[in-house]
Amino acid sequence: MRKFLITLLSVSTVSAFAADNSQFQKFDNEYNLGYGVANTQFYNGIQNQALQQSQFMSLEVERLFDAGIWLDATANLVTAQNSLGNQATGTGQGNSGVPGYPGTPSTQDPNFGGANFKVGYAFTVLPENLQLIPYALVGRNTNLAMSTLLSNGLANVSNDFYYTAGIGGRIEYKINDYIFLYADQNAVYNWDQSGPLDGIQPQNFLIAQSTIGAKFNVVKNLQLGVSGFYKYYQLMADVPTATPALNGGNDSNGNSVTLYEPSSSLGGMVSIGLTY
Protein backbone atom coordinates (compact mmCIF):
# COMPACT_ATOMS: atom_id res chain seq x y z
CA MET A 1 0.00 0.00 0.00
CA ARG A 2 2.81 2.38 0.92
CA LYS A 3 4.62 1.64 -2.35
CA PHE A 4 1.40 2.28 -4.27
CA LEU A 5 0.87 5.66 -2.57
CA ILE A 6 4.46 6.74 -3.32
CA THR A 7 4.06 5.75 -6.99
CA LEU A 8 0.72 7.58 -7.21
CA LEU A 9 2.20 10.69 -5.63
CA SER A 10 5.15 10.65 -8.05
CA VAL A 11 2.88 10.34 -11.09
CA SER A 12 0.62 13.11 -9.80
CA THR A 13 3.60 15.40 -9.21
CA VAL A 14 4.96 14.86 -12.72
CA SER A 15 1.53 15.43 -14.23
CA ALA A 16 1.03 18.64 -12.28
CA PHE A 17 4.47 19.88 -13.26
CA ALA A 18 3.74 19.24 -16.94
CA ALA A 19 0.43 21.07 -16.67
CA ASP A 20 2.19 24.03 -15.05
CA ASN A 21 4.74 24.14 -17.87
CA SER A 22 2.02 24.20 -20.49
CA GLN A 23 1.19 27.77 -19.49
CA PHE A 24 4.74 28.86 -20.36
CA GLN A 25 5.08 26.66 -23.44
CA LYS A 26 2.60 28.96 -25.15
CA PHE A 27 5.39 31.54 -25.24
CA ASP A 28 8.63 29.54 -24.94
CA ASN A 29 8.01 27.08 -27.76
CA GLU A 30 8.87 29.46 -30.60
CA TYR A 31 11.34 30.48 -33.27
CA ASN A 32 11.95 34.00 -34.46
CA LEU A 33 13.98 36.36 -36.63
CA GLY A 34 15.31 39.46 -34.89
CA TYR A 35 16.88 42.81 -35.76
CA GLY A 36 18.96 44.69 -33.22
CA VAL A 37 21.11 47.77 -32.67
CA ALA A 38 23.90 48.13 -30.10
CA ASN A 39 26.11 51.07 -29.10
CA THR A 40 29.45 49.86 -27.77
CA GLN A 41 31.87 51.97 -25.74
CA PHE A 42 35.60 51.41 -26.37
CA TYR A 43 38.84 52.72 -24.91
CA ASN A 44 42.48 52.41 -25.91
CA GLY A 45 45.79 52.08 -24.03
CA ILE A 46 45.86 55.77 -23.10
CA GLN A 47 42.18 55.79 -22.07
CA ASN A 48 40.76 57.63 -25.09
CA GLN A 49 37.07 56.88 -25.46
CA ALA A 50 35.30 55.62 -28.57
CA LEU A 51 31.68 54.83 -29.48
CA GLN A 52 30.56 52.49 -32.22
CA GLN A 53 27.11 51.42 -33.40
CA SER A 54 26.42 47.94 -34.75
CA GLN A 55 23.33 46.55 -36.45
CA PHE A 56 22.76 42.81 -36.38
CA MET A 57 20.33 40.03 -37.29
CA SER A 58 19.57 36.97 -35.17
CA LEU A 59 17.80 33.64 -35.61
CA GLU A 60 16.52 31.97 -32.43
CA VAL A 61 14.83 28.64 -31.70
CA GLU A 62 13.44 28.05 -28.18
CA ARG A 63 11.83 25.00 -26.62
CA LEU A 64 10.38 24.17 -23.19
CA PHE A 65 9.76 20.43 -22.80
CA ASP A 66 7.03 18.86 -20.66
CA ALA A 67 9.68 17.49 -18.29
CA GLY A 68 10.96 21.02 -17.58
CA ILE A 69 14.08 21.00 -19.78
CA TRP A 70 14.54 24.37 -21.50
CA LEU A 71 16.64 24.83 -24.65
CA ASP A 72 17.56 27.94 -26.59
CA ALA A 73 19.75 28.18 -29.73
CA THR A 74 20.67 31.57 -31.21
CA ALA A 75 22.79 32.55 -34.21
CA ASN A 76 23.68 36.19 -34.90
CA LEU A 77 25.47 38.19 -37.58
CA VAL A 78 26.50 41.86 -37.69
CA THR A 79 25.16 43.50 -40.86
CA ALA A 80 26.50 47.07 -40.47
CA GLN A 81 28.81 49.11 -38.28
CA ASN A 82 29.25 52.83 -37.92
CA SER A 83 31.68 54.84 -35.82
CA LEU A 84 29.81 57.58 -33.98
CA GLY A 85 32.36 60.35 -34.34
CA ASN A 86 35.69 61.24 -35.91
CA GLN A 87 38.56 58.74 -36.10
CA ALA A 88 41.07 61.45 -35.18
CA THR A 89 39.27 62.07 -31.87
CA GLY A 90 39.36 58.47 -30.77
CA THR A 91 36.60 56.50 -32.43
CA GLY A 92 39.09 54.12 -34.03
CA GLN A 93 37.01 53.17 -37.04
CA GLY A 94 37.80 53.36 -40.73
CA ASN A 95 40.73 53.04 -43.13
CA SER A 96 44.08 52.55 -41.44
CA GLY A 97 45.86 54.66 -44.06
CA VAL A 98 48.76 52.21 -44.00
CA PRO A 99 50.12 50.74 -47.27
CA GLY A 100 49.15 47.10 -47.55
CA TYR A 101 46.30 47.40 -45.04
CA PRO A 102 43.54 49.29 -46.86
CA GLY A 103 40.27 49.35 -44.99
CA THR A 104 41.72 47.68 -41.91
CA PRO A 105 39.40 48.40 -38.98
CA SER A 106 41.17 49.95 -36.03
CA THR A 107 38.46 48.91 -33.62
CA GLN A 108 38.58 45.88 -31.32
CA ASP A 109 34.89 45.02 -31.68
CA PRO A 110 35.30 41.23 -31.70
CA ASN A 111 31.86 39.83 -32.40
CA PHE A 112 30.78 39.87 -36.04
CA GLY A 113 28.77 36.70 -35.63
CA GLY A 114 28.40 33.47 -33.71
CA ALA A 115 26.19 30.70 -32.40
CA ASN A 116 25.27 30.10 -28.74
CA PHE A 117 23.28 27.39 -26.99
CA LYS A 118 21.57 27.47 -23.60
CA VAL A 119 20.22 24.48 -21.68
CA GLY A 120 18.42 24.81 -18.37
CA TYR A 121 15.67 23.51 -16.12
CA ALA A 122 12.42 25.36 -15.44
CA PHE A 123 11.18 25.58 -11.86
CA THR A 124 7.54 26.64 -11.69
CA VAL A 125 6.96 29.00 -8.76
CA LEU A 126 3.39 30.06 -9.56
CA PRO A 127 1.73 27.53 -11.93
CA GLU A 128 -0.12 30.15 -13.96
CA ASN A 129 2.34 33.02 -13.87
CA LEU A 130 5.95 32.62 -12.67
CA GLN A 131 8.88 30.32 -13.36
CA LEU A 132 12.66 30.38 -12.86
CA ILE A 133 15.24 28.84 -15.23
CA PRO A 134 18.90 28.41 -14.25
CA TYR A 135 20.95 27.44 -17.30
CA ALA A 136 24.39 26.77 -18.78
CA LEU A 137 25.64 28.35 -22.01
CA VAL A 138 28.17 27.26 -24.64
CA GLY A 139 29.01 28.78 -28.00
CA ARG A 140 31.47 29.82 -30.65
CA ASN A 141 31.82 33.50 -31.58
CA THR A 142 34.06 35.41 -33.96
CA ASN A 143 37.07 37.46 -32.88
CA LEU A 144 37.64 39.55 -36.01
CA ALA A 145 39.25 42.46 -34.20
CA MET A 146 42.11 44.60 -35.47
CA SER A 147 44.78 42.81 -33.43
CA THR A 148 43.85 39.38 -34.76
CA LEU A 149 43.57 40.57 -38.36
CA LEU A 150 46.96 42.26 -38.31
CA SER A 151 48.72 39.50 -36.41
CA ASN A 152 48.15 37.06 -39.28
CA GLY A 153 48.69 39.61 -42.05
CA LEU A 154 45.01 39.48 -43.08
CA ALA A 155 45.80 36.13 -44.68
CA ASN A 156 43.98 33.56 -42.51
CA VAL A 157 41.08 34.24 -40.18
CA SER A 158 40.01 30.62 -39.59
CA ASN A 159 41.30 30.75 -35.99
CA ASP A 160 39.91 34.20 -35.18
CA PHE A 161 37.18 33.04 -32.84
CA TYR A 162 36.31 32.43 -29.19
CA TYR A 163 35.05 29.36 -27.39
CA THR A 164 32.34 30.66 -25.08
CA ALA A 165 31.00 29.10 -21.87
CA GLY A 166 29.04 30.42 -18.90
CA ILE A 167 26.05 30.23 -16.59
CA GLY A 168 22.90 32.28 -16.22
CA GLY A 169 19.42 32.59 -14.79
CA ARG A 170 16.09 33.61 -16.24
CA ILE A 171 12.81 34.67 -14.63
CA GLU A 172 9.60 34.57 -16.66
CA TYR A 173 6.22 36.10 -15.80
CA LYS A 174 3.06 35.42 -17.79
CA ILE A 175 0.57 38.26 -17.41
CA ASN A 176 -2.08 36.59 -19.55
CA ASP A 177 -2.32 34.50 -22.71
CA TYR A 178 -1.10 37.42 -24.80
CA ILE A 179 1.66 39.16 -22.79
CA PHE A 180 4.78 37.57 -21.31
CA LEU A 181 7.71 39.31 -19.53
CA TYR A 182 11.20 37.99 -18.78
CA ALA A 183 14.55 39.01 -17.33
CA ASP A 184 17.82 37.22 -18.05
CA GLN A 185 21.24 37.52 -16.40
CA ASN A 186 24.35 35.60 -17.42
CA ALA A 187 28.12 35.67 -17.18
CA VAL A 188 30.27 34.06 -19.88
CA TYR A 189 33.98 33.64 -20.51
CA ASN A 190 35.53 33.83 -23.98
CA TRP A 191 38.68 31.80 -24.75
CA ASP A 192 40.53 33.44 -27.64
CA GLN A 193 41.77 30.96 -30.25
CA SER A 194 43.36 33.48 -32.63
CA GLY A 195 46.89 33.20 -31.22
CA PRO A 196 47.79 36.86 -31.92
CA LEU A 197 51.44 37.64 -32.62
CA ASP A 198 53.70 40.69 -32.26
CA GLY A 199 53.35 40.83 -28.49
CA ILE A 200 49.57 41.32 -28.53
CA GLN A 201 48.19 39.16 -25.76
CA PRO A 202 45.31 36.70 -26.29
CA GLN A 203 42.08 38.64 -26.01
CA ASN A 204 40.32 36.47 -23.43
CA PHE A 205 37.55 38.31 -21.63
CA LEU A 206 34.46 38.00 -19.45
CA ILE A 207 31.04 39.37 -20.40
CA ALA A 208 28.21 39.98 -17.92
CA GLN A 209 24.93 40.58 -19.75
CA SER A 210 21.58 41.77 -18.39
CA THR A 211 18.47 41.49 -20.58
CA ILE A 212 14.83 42.43 -20.10
CA GLY A 213 12.17 41.68 -22.66
CA ALA A 214 8.58 40.93 -23.55
CA LYS A 215 6.76 38.56 -25.89
CA PHE A 216 3.35 39.20 -27.39
CA ASN A 217 1.18 36.42 -28.83
CA VAL A 218 -0.90 38.75 -30.97
CA VAL A 219 -2.79 36.10 -32.94
CA LYS A 220 -2.61 32.32 -33.10
CA ASN A 221 1.00 31.17 -33.64
CA LEU A 222 2.29 34.70 -34.37
CA GLN A 223 4.62 36.17 -31.78
CA LEU A 224 6.26 39.61 -31.59
CA GLY A 225 9.13 40.35 -29.24
CA VAL A 226 11.11 43.28 -27.90
CA SER A 227 14.14 43.34 -25.59
CA GLY A 228 16.87 45.57 -24.25
CA PHE A 229 20.30 44.56 -23.00
CA TYR A 230 23.44 45.83 -21.31
CA LYS A 231 26.88 44.15 -21.54
CA TYR A 232 29.89 44.74 -19.34
CA TYR A 233 33.29 43.57 -20.62
CA GLN A 234 36.08 42.56 -18.24
CA LEU A 235 39.33 42.15 -20.20
CA MET A 236 41.90 39.55 -19.23
CA ALA A 237 44.77 41.34 -21.01
CA ASP A 238 46.07 44.90 -21.04
CA VAL A 239 44.93 47.12 -23.89
CA PRO A 240 47.85 47.44 -26.37
CA THR A 241 49.40 50.90 -26.58
CA ALA A 242 49.82 52.86 -29.80
CA THR A 243 52.91 51.59 -31.62
CA PRO A 244 53.28 51.19 -35.40
CA ALA A 245 54.35 47.55 -35.11
CA LEU A 246 51.14 46.55 -33.36
CA ASN A 247 48.40 48.61 -34.94
CA GLY A 248 49.42 49.86 -38.36
CA GLY A 249 50.94 53.22 -37.41
CA ASN A 250 49.23 56.44 -38.46
CA ASP A 251 46.23 57.16 -40.66
CA SER A 252 46.31 59.28 -43.82
CA ASN A 253 46.00 62.44 -41.69
CA GLY A 254 48.99 61.54 -39.51
CA ASN A 255 46.86 60.59 -36.50
CA SER A 256 47.87 57.54 -34.49
CA VAL A 257 45.58 54.55 -35.09
CA THR A 258 45.35 52.62 -31.83
CA LEU A 259 43.61 49.46 -30.73
CA TYR A 260 40.32 50.02 -28.92
CA GLU A 261 38.95 47.44 -26.48
CA PRO A 262 35.22 47.16 -25.65
CA SER A 263 34.16 48.20 -22.16
CA SER A 264 30.34 48.20 -22.29
CA SER A 265 27.46 47.90 -24.72
CA LEU A 266 23.83 49.04 -24.61
CA GLY A 267 21.28 47.92 -27.18
CA GLY A 268 17.90 46.51 -28.08
CA MET A 269 16.17 44.13 -30.46
CA VAL A 270 12.76 43.51 -32.03
CA SER A 271 11.68 40.14 -33.39
CA ILE A 272 8.90 38.37 -35.23
CA GLY A 273 8.32 34.65 -35.01
CA LEU A 274 5.99 31.69 -34.76
CA THR A 275 4.95 29.55 -31.80
CA TYR A 276 4.57 25.80 -32.12
Side-chain angles (χ1 to χ4, degrees), residues 11 19 30 57 69 72 79 88 93-95 105 107 124 130 142 167 170 186 193 195 201 230 250:
V11 172
E30 57 92 18
M57 301 292 293
I69 303 298
D72 180 277
T79 58
Q93 176 74 14
N95 196 308
T107 178
T124 302
L130 184 67
T142 61
I167 58 173
R170 185 180 180 96
N186 64 52
Q193 303 299 303
Q201 301 177 63
Y230 174 80
N250 300 329

Side-chain angles (χ1 to χ4, degrees), residues 51-70:
L51 185 62
Q52 180 173 300
Q53 186 177 87
S54 300
Q55 301 176 45
F56 61 92
M57 301 292 293
S58 74
L59 178 64
E60 179 183 30
V61 179
E62 187 179 4
R63 174 81 175 184
L64 176 61
F65 293 91
D66 292 341
I69 303 298
W70 175 79

Side-chain angles (χ1 to χ4, degrees), residues 10-252:
S10 300
V11 172
S12 299
T13 301
V14 172
S15 300
F17 189 74
D20 291 344
N21 272 353
S22 68
Q23 297 300 312
F24 300 93
Q25 288 172 327
K26 298 175 183 178
F27 292 89
D28 282 343
N29 291 353
E30 57 92 18
Y31 52 93
N32 68 72
L33 180 67
Y35 167 78
V37 176
N39 288 345
T40 302
Q41 187 74 45
F42 294 82
Y43 68 95
N44 65 5
I46 55 176
Q47 301 302 309
N48 288 333
Q49 297 293 308
L51 185 62
Q52 180 173 300
Q53 186 177 87
S54 300
Q55 301 176 45
F56 61 92
M57 301 292 293
S58 74
L59 178 64
E60 179 183 30
V61 179
E62 187 179 4
R63 174 81 175 184
L64 176 61
F65 293 91
D66 292 341
I69 303 298
W70 175 79
L71 299 177
D72 180 277
T74 304
N76 62 83
L77 179 67
V78 170
T79 58
Q81 286 188 320
N82 179 43
S83 191
L84 303 179
N86 186 304
Q87 181 180 350
T89 59
T91 56
Q93 176 74 14
N95 196 308
S96 69
V98 178
Y101 298 104
T104 299
S106 49
T107 178
Q108 282 290 93
D109 189 354
N111 187 15
F112 282 80
N116 295 281
F117 304 90
K118 299 176 182 177
V119 56
Y121 190 84
F123 294 91
T124 302
V125 180
L126 300 175
E128 295 289 329
N129 301 102
L130 184 67
Q131 74 174 6
L132 301 176
I133 307 176
Y135 63 82
L137 180 151
V138 295
R140 174 171 165 158
N141 297 280
T142 61
N143 182 21
L144 297 176
M146 183 181 182
S147 61
T148 60
L149 292 173
L150 292 183
S151 69
N152 56 36
L154 304 180
N156 180 9
V157 298
S158 60
N159 289 329
D160 291 355
F161 69 90
Y162 298 100
Y163 286 121
T164 300
I167 58 173
R170 185 180 180 96
I171 183 170
E172 299 181 336
Y173 184 76
K174 183 177 78 71
I175 295 178
N176 51 43
D177 288 339
Y178 306 99
I179 304 175
F180 182 89
L181 306 178
Y182 66 90
D184 191 301
Q185 177 67 53
N186 64 52
V188 302
Y189 193 84
N190 292 280
W191 284 272
D192 179 23
Q193 303 299 303
S194 66
L197 306 175
D198 299 324
I200 301 175
Q201 301 177 63
Q203 303 300 308
N204 299 340
F205 64 89
L206 176 74
I207 300 179
Q209 177 170 335
S210 302
T211 304
I212 56 173
K215 300 178 182 180
F216 306 94
N217 288 347
V218 290
V219 295
K220 184 178 180 180
N221 297 125
L222 177 63
Q223 184 177 100
L224 301 179
V226 61
S227 64
F229 62 85
Y230 174 80
K231 294 182 181 180
Y232 172 75
Y233 297 82
Q234 178 62 55
L235 306 177
M236 300 294 109
D238 294 333
V239 180
T241 56
T243 61
L246 297 185
N247 59 47
N250 300 329
D251 64 16
S252 56

